[in-house]
Amino acid sequence: MSEIKKPKNPEDDWKVWMVVNPATWLMPILFAVLATVLIIHWVLLSLGFGF
Amino acid sequence: MSGLTEQQAKEFHEQFKTTFTAFVALAGLAHLLVAAAQPWI
């Protein structure tokens, strides 16, 4: 495949939205963050960390 | 690919960064308050 230029981050971070359409994927991304947060807190609380 | 123009992608990314920074700051504050009230480690 032709040599694709490697992105320089964070300056090129914005280019992700040239591939991933936020109109479609913003809510799924936010729900994924929520699911991750809930799982982390659930695991830690069940391990006894916290009240 | 996504259908966004360069301008739209950059504009959206600025808002995304702002919102995510606010989210991290708020979560950090919440964790500091809980850590102060009830240390978990």
Side-chain angles (χ1 to χ4, degrees), chain B residues 12-28:
Chain B
F12 177 78
H13 193 58
E14 283 312 309
Q15 180 59 60
F16 189 86
K17 285 191 299 186
T18 303
T19 306
F20 187 70
T21 304
F23 169 73
V24 170
L26 202 60

Side-chain angles (χ1 to χ4, degrees), chain A residues 13-14 17-22 26 33 37 41 49-51, chain B residues 1-6 9-10 12-13 16 23 31 38 40:
Chain A
D13 284 357
W14 62 271
W17 309 115
M18 302 289 288
V19 177
V20 172
N21 189 330
L26 180 58
V33 169
V37 166
H41 284 82
F49 290 96
F51 48 90
Chain B
M1 282 187 236
S2 69
L4 269 67
T5 64
E6 216 174 286
K10 283 178 177 171
F12 177 78
H13 193 58
F16 189 86
F23 169 73
H31 283 81
Q38 184 124 16
W40 54 82

